[in-house]
Amino acid sequence: AQVPVLACAMWGKNSANVTDTSAISVHGTNPQNLVEKILRSKIYNHAYWKEHCFGLTAESLVDKAMELDTVGGTFGGIREPSHFIQLTLKMLQIQPEKEIVLEFIKNEDYKYVRALGAFYLRLTGRPAEVFQYLEPLYNDYRKLRRRLASGEYCLVHVDELVDELLRDEYVFDLALPHLPKRHTLVASGPRAVDGPGQISEASRRHLGDLSETCRRSLGDISALR
């Protein structure tokens, strides 16, 4: 069961770095613990975090996500954290509503917004919903710029990234929560996923009821692009 994250479970004295008091635990821990402590410390001390992530809300974070032009974890000799991984930590810190995360994933105009939402859901979602919302992205063949550990760039397609998220245990320098094999998940109880790349009817109804505020927020930003 998910329970509120207690204040004593937070770390540091800087209020800019503590987890939102209304956040619930994820996989039995403070959400920010999904990022290893050494990497968290690097992010907290990074100029981008201090200058651009301070005070971000679930709504204003959309603006920063729209500015992303790469995916990746850490890079270079000092293992500098990418903007992508820093925004991931920010999402873990403020824990946006699920509807907002789904709007990120559904966004077809901004591929890096979609990638950020997919990565966040893989870290925090239940196995059934991870398959439900990420499998349809196998139909997205757009190219993403990926920052490698060496600091160099390479191209990766959205569907390839999704395949990594569903198959690998370690992506963008983060250990991913255990994800059962799809056939095991389907056989274990009522079907949570229909077929490859398909969303269940229940999920379709849920998507149809998404917050109009979230839709309008992303729509307004898209119009300005």
Side-chain angles (χ1 to χ4, degrees), residues 4-6 58 107 117 120 128 137 141 147 176 182 188 201 206 219:
V5 175
L6 301 178
N107 190 286
Y120 177 80
L137 304 188
Y141 308 115
R147 195 76 182 264
L176 302 178
R182 190 180 189 285
S188 65
E201 185 58 34
H206 179 69

Side-chain angles (χ1 to χ4, degrees), residues 74-137:
T74 61
F75 61 91
I78 61 172
R79 309 299 292 180
E80 180 178 349
S82 67
H83 293 178
F84 182 90
I85 206 67
Q86 293 189 57
L87 288 182
T88 299
L89 180 62
K90 191 65 183 182
M91 292 181 74
L92 291 170
Q93 181 190 41
I94 64 178
Q95 200 173 73
E97 294 289 336
K98 180 180 176 181
E99 287 78 8
I100 294 179
V101 178
L102 295 182
E103 285 293 342
F104 273 43
I105 295 172
K106 286 177 58 186
N107 190 286
E108 297 182 353
D109 297 321
Y110 299 92
K111 54 191 178 182
Y112 292 100
V113 171
R114 168 170 281 185
L116 182 64
F119 186 53
Y120 177 80
L121 184 67
R122 176 64 181 87
L123 288 171
T124 62
R126 292 178 292 105
E129 62 187 5
V130 168
F131 281 108
Q132 284 181 345
Y133 299 120
L134 265 59
E135 280 191 334
L137 304 188

Side-chain angles (χ1 to χ4, degrees), residues 6-51:
L6 301 178
C8 62
M10 301 176 188
W11 52 87
K13 299 180 180 179
N14 187 342
S15 61
N17 298 338
V18 298
T19 304
D20 191 289
T21 55
S22 64
I24 57 177
S25 64
V26 175
H27 305 303
T29 187
N30 185 321
Q32 291 196 81
N33 283 341
L34 297 175
V35 177
E36 295 179 358
K37 186 174 182 180
I38 293 177
L39 179 52
R40 287 202 311 268
S41 297
K42 287 185 176 182
I43 293 174
Y44 294 154
N45 290 309
H46 197 277
Y48 180 80
W49 177 268
K50 295 177 180 178
E51 297 173 13

Side-chain angles (χ1 to χ4, degrees), residues 2 4 12-13 36 44 53 59-60 62 85 93-94 114 139 161 189 213 225:
Q2 292 178 317
K13 299 180 180 179
E36 295 179 358
Y44 294 154
C53 295
E59 291 74 23
S60 61
V62 175
I85 206 67
Q93 181 190 41
I94 64 178
R114 168 170 281 185
N139 295 316
L161 175 57
T213 301
R225 186 70 172 178

